[in-house]
């Protein structure tokens, strides 16, 4: 009696399982969305780095094909997320709403109907079972009383102190207990027989209600199977034609990479095959014979100022008002090289994905593919008035590979008091930033921490290790 409650509870469990399945699908959809966003961010960042980096030609296009693949796969995973939430999640939610009807007093209508059906089917049988239990209890009590009366009568026969009247009472007690045993046994057997006769109808009624519960549960189980199959179809991108085309196209783009073609292009544009701008005869100009002061020479050689922490690649030029014809500026800036390893395991750092993305943008070892090199090659002058940037590639093929100036932190070895307005003053031990390398007169250009920019003797400082 009452064991049907396990079947009734299964209805409530079915409602809870619908919630669990919806939560499961919702979490997977959120994972798909985050993965799609990470793919897009990764593709955008690395596409910029590759395009600005030193790689060129067909291999560059093959490399960029990976970023295109990531963008297309990201779109597919966003579609998966949309299918999970807009189709599967909503389908379960609507089915749950239709299958389970909440009552004003709490619980579900289906649960109450099953509970009432089982109780109604079991009530007559449970009543007879209670009668059987009572009859059995009375019969066992009578048997116990009979045994006790017989035991007392046996003991009294051996006791000479008892008179015949007391002995007769004990014998009468035994007779009454035997009659009670017969009566209770008969009643017990009768009630048991009635219970047995009611059992088939009881089982039929209970099974009828149970089958109704089974049918309700069968609908839920079949619905879950149907939904899970649909989720599987939405997650399985291998059967999506566009997904296969993405990797077919990626393979074709990689196979189109041609080392011979790239080498031929580099030779024609950056090597011996590029167009040359040979020195031509130029008329004498009075400006060329001017005696430049130390400060004017310094300004004339100013091209670009590249800081060690500026990652934007912007040019900072300082034009010379007096000798603009001698000032030659670079068109591009070499990016800062660092020791960042893009293949380093992220687990070693403990940084979040977003932090690492910010750091990668700043620290990837790459440089502008269109970088130009200094055109100063003469041993006599700091600038070559005959050099030109009109040649293909904006460089002179006879230029030496002079590294561009980088800002370096230095420490003063001695006290120095500026003698002119454009000179810096500092004490021994002070730190400042060297902005340009030593010129022919042994002077460097630097910047104090207060922002003042000026010249100072190169041998008065040492680099900070």
């Amino acid at each position: 009696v009452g064991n049907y409650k396990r079947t009734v509870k299964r209805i409530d469990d079915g409602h809870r399982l619908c919630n669990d399945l919806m939560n499961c699908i919702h979490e997977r959809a959120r994972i798909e969305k985050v993965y799609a966003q990470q793919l897009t961010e990764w593709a955008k960042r690395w596409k910029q780095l590759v395009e600005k980096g030193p790689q060129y030609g067909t291999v560059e296009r093959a490399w960029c094909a990976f970023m295109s693949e990531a963008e297309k796969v990201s779109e597919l995973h966003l579609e998966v997320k949309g299918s999970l939430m807009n189709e599967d999640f909503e389908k379960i939610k609507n089915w749950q709403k239709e299958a389970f009807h909440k009552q004003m007093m709490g619980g579900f209508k289906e649960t109450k109907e099953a509970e009432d059906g089982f109780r109604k089917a079991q009530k007559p049988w449970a009543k007879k079972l209670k009668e059987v239990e009572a009859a059995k209890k009375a019969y066992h009590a009578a048997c116990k009383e009979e045994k006790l009366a017989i035991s007392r009568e046996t003991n009294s026969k051996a006791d000479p102190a008892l008179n015949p009247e007391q002995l007769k009472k004990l014998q009468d007690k035994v007779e009454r207990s035997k009659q009670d045993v017969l009566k209770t046994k008969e009643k017990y057997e009768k009630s048991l027989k009635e219970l047995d006769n009611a059992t088939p109808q009881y089982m039929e009624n209970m099974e009828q209600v149970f089958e109704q519960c089974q049918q309700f549960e069968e609908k839920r189980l079949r619905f879950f199977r149907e939904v899970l199959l649909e989720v599987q179809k939405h997650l399985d991108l291998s059967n999506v034609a566009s997904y296969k085309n993405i990797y077919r196209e990626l393979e074709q783009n990689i196979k189109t990479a041609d080392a011979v073609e790239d080498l031929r292009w580099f030779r024609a544009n950056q090597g011996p095959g590029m167009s040359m701008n040979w020195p031509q005869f130029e008329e004498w100009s009075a400006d060329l014979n001017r005696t430049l002061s130390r400060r004017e020479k310094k300004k004339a050689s100013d091209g670009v100022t590249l800081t060690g922490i500026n990652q934007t690649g912007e040019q900072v030029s300082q034009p010379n008002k007096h000798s603009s014809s001698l000032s030659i500026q670079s068109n591009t800036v070499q990016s800062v090289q660092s020791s960042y390893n893009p293949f380093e395991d992220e687990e070693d750092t403990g940084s979040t994905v977003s932090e690492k993305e910010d750091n990668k943008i700043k620290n990837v070892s790459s440089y502008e593919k269109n970088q130009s090199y200094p055109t100063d090659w003469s041993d006599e002058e700091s600038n070559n008035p005959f050099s030109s940037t009109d040649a293909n590639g904006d460089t002179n093929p006879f230029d030496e590979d002079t590294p561009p100036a980088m800002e370096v932190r230095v420490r003063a070895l001695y006290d120095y008091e500026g003698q002119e307005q454009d000179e810096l003053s500092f004490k021994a031990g002070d730190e400042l930033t060297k902005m340009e390398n030593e010129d022919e007169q042994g002077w460097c250009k630097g910047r104090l921490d207060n922002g003042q920019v000026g010249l100072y003797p190169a041998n008065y400082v040492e680099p900070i290790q």
Side-chain angles (χ1 to χ4, degrees):
V1 174
N3 283 340
Y4 61 83
K5 294 186 179 296
R6 293 176 297 184
T7 304
V8 175
K9 184 177 180 297
R10 188 175 61 174
I11 299 177
D12 294 334
D13 292 341
H15 183 274
R16 182 176 62 86
L17 289 171
C18 288
N19 291 333
D20 292 344
L21 184 56
M22 284 191 291
N23 290 334
C24 177
I25 293 177
H26 183 265
E27 289 185 10
R28 178 58 185 266
R30 186 166 60 247
I31 292 174
E32 295 289 336
K33 180 181 178 181
V34 172
Y35 178 56
Q37 291 175 343
Q38 290 177 342
L39 279 179
T40 302
E41 294 171 0
W42 174 85
K44 181 179 179 181
R45 182 177 68 254
W46 276 100
K47 188 175 183 180
Q48 293 176 352
L49 292 172
V50 172
E51 289 177 349
K52 295 181 180 180
Q55 186 57 59
Y56 55 89
T58 59
V59 174
E60 177 191 0
R61 290 195 293 272
W63 192 346
C64 288
F66 278 102
M67 277 61 90
S68 299
E69 171 266 341
E71 292 173 349
K72 295 177 183 178
V73 172
S74 174
E75 294 177 0
L76 290 179
H77 281 281
L78 284 178
E79 292 179 3
V80 171
K81 175 257 179 185
S83 299
L84 292 176
M85 292 303 299
N86 299 332
E87 298 180 25
D88 302 329
F89 185 90
E90 290 297 325
K91 187 173 184 178
I92 300 172
K93 184 178 179 181
N94 294 333
W95 185 90
Q96 182 190 43
K97 187 176 181 180
E98 295 175 358
F100 299 90
H101 302 83
K102 292 185 178 180
Q103 297 186 121
M104 295 294 295
M105 301 302 293
F108 299 103
K109 177 183 177 182
E110 291 71 24
T111 304
K112 186 176 186 305
E113 289 178 352
E115 178 79 25
D116 293 344
F118 279 118
R119 186 184 295 110
K120 183 178 179 181
Q122 196 173 72
K123 186 175 182 181
W125 189 86
K127 183 178 180 181
K128 293 183 180 299
L129 178 64
K130 189 175 182 180
E131 293 174 357
V132 169
E133 292 294 335
K136 181 179 73 171
K137 185 176 181 181
Y139 170 67
H140 289 173
C143 291
K144 183 179 180 181
E145 188 66 24
E146 179 190 20
K147 184 179 180 180
L148 184 61
I150 294 174
S151 177
R152 287 176 178 173
E153 181 189 13
T154 303
N155 293 333
S156 64
K157 290 179 180 180
D159 187 3
L162 290 177
N163 53 34
E165 184 178 352
Q166 293 176 331
L167 184 61
K168 179 115 173 42
K169 289 182 179 180
L170 290 175
Q171 290 175 351
D172 292 341
K173 181 85 175 196
V174 171
E175 286 297 326
R176 286 197 302 271
S177 62
K178 286 182 178 181
Q179 292 177 2
D180 290 340
V181 168
L182 292 176
K183 290 180 181 180
T184 54
K185 182 179 181 181
E186 182 181 356
K187 188 177 181 180
Y188 177 33
E189 290 176 345
K190 182 180 179 181
S191 62
L192 191 60
K193 186 177 180 180
E194 291 178 354
L195 181 67
D196 291 341
N197 293 335
T199 298
Q201 184 64 38
Y202 159 69
M203 291 182 63
E204 181 180 351
N205 294 339
M206 291 292 286
E207 286 185 5
Q208 185 177 359
V209 181
F210 180 77
E211 284 301 321
Q212 294 176 357
C213 295
Q214 287 287 83
Q215 292 175 5
F216 183 83
E217 179 67 6
E218 182 182 9
K219 292 180 181 178
R220 186 191 69 82
L221 294 175
R222 291 186 181 276
F223 173 74
F224 269 40
R225 181 179 183 275
E226 177 185 348
V227 170
L228 292 175
L229 282 176
E230 292 182 3
V231 172
Q232 179 267 333
K233 291 179 182 179
H234 293 151
L235 295 177
D236 187 7
L237 295 178
S238 62
N239 290 328
V240 179
S242 58
Y243 186 76
K244 296 179 180 179
N245 293 334
I246 291 174
Y247 291 98
R248 190 179 299 112
E249 181 180 350
L250 176 61
E251 181 182 5
Q252 293 174 354
N253 288 332
I254 296 175
K255 287 183 177 180
T256 56
D258 189 349
V260 175
E261 177 63 26
D262 289 354
L263 293 175
R264 185 184 298 113
W265 177 89
F266 192 86
R267 178 183 180 85
N269 291 275
Q270 304 291 341
M274 64 185 294
S275 59
M276 299 298 182
N277 185 24
W278 302 107
Q280 303 292 331
F281 177 81
E282 297 182 11
E283 286 294 339
W284 175 85
S285 174
D287 291 337
L288 295 178
N289 284 350
R290 289 181 56 194
T291 302
L292 302 179
S293 65
R294 179 188 67 213
R295 185 173 181 179
E296 288 173 335
K297 282 189 176 184
K298 199 65 185 174
K299 287 188 175 181
S301 62
D302 287 347
V304 294
T305 300
L306 178 62
T307 64
I309 59 175
N310 183 14
Q311 301 293 328
T312 61
E314 296 179 354
Q315 300 179 8
V316 183
S317 59
Q318 298 180 356
N320 185 0
K321 296 181 181 179
H322 303 288
S323 56
S324 58
S325 61
L326 301 182
S327 178
I328 302 172
Q329 298 182 0
S330 302
N331 290 331
T332 56
V333 181
Q334 182 174 358
S335 300
V336 180
Q337 297 184 357
S338 69
S339 59
Y340 167 75
N341 180 6
F343 303 102
E344 183 179 358
D345 190 355
E346 294 184 359
E347 294 179 357
D348 296 338
T349 62
S351 300
T352 62
V353 174
S354 59
E355 292 173 349
K356 288 187 174 292
E357 291 174 354
D358 294 338
N359 293 333
K360 288 177 182 177
I361 295 176
K362 297 179 180 179
N363 298 330
V364 170
S365 177
S366 179
Y367 59 87
E368 301 289 345
K369 61 176 66 182
N370 292 325
Q371 63 176 341
S372 61
Y373 296 90
T375 57
D376 301 339
W377 61 273
S378 174
D379 293 336
E380 299 177 356
E381 296 181 357
S382 60
N383 293 282
N384 181 8
F386 301 102
S387 63
S388 174
T389 59
D390 296 335
N392 189 8
D394 295 338
T395 61
N396 189 333
F398 296 98
D399 289 349
E400 295 180 358
D401 293 335
T402 305
M406 303 291 292
E407 288 195 352
V408 179
R409 295 290 292 175
V410 296
R411 183 184 292 107
L413 297 173
Y414 319 100
D415 295 347
Y416 180 74
E417 187 70 21
Q419 303 299 319
E420 296 183 13
Q421 189 175 2
D422 62 345
E423 295 179 0
L424 300 176
S425 299
F426 47 78
K427 300 292 183 181
D430 290 350
E431 295 182 3
L432 60 152
T433 302
K434 182 175 74 172
M435 302 173 60
E436 295 180 5
N437 294 329
E438 179 181 356
D439 62 7
E440 296 175 358
Q441 288 79 23
W443 293 84
C444 288
K445 186 176 181 180
R447 181 179 65 247
L448 297 177
D449 292 341
N450 61 9
Q452 182 182 357
V453 178
L455 305 175
Y456 64 90
N459 56 357
Y460 271 56
V461 299
E462 65 174 358
I464 298 177
Q465 300 297 332

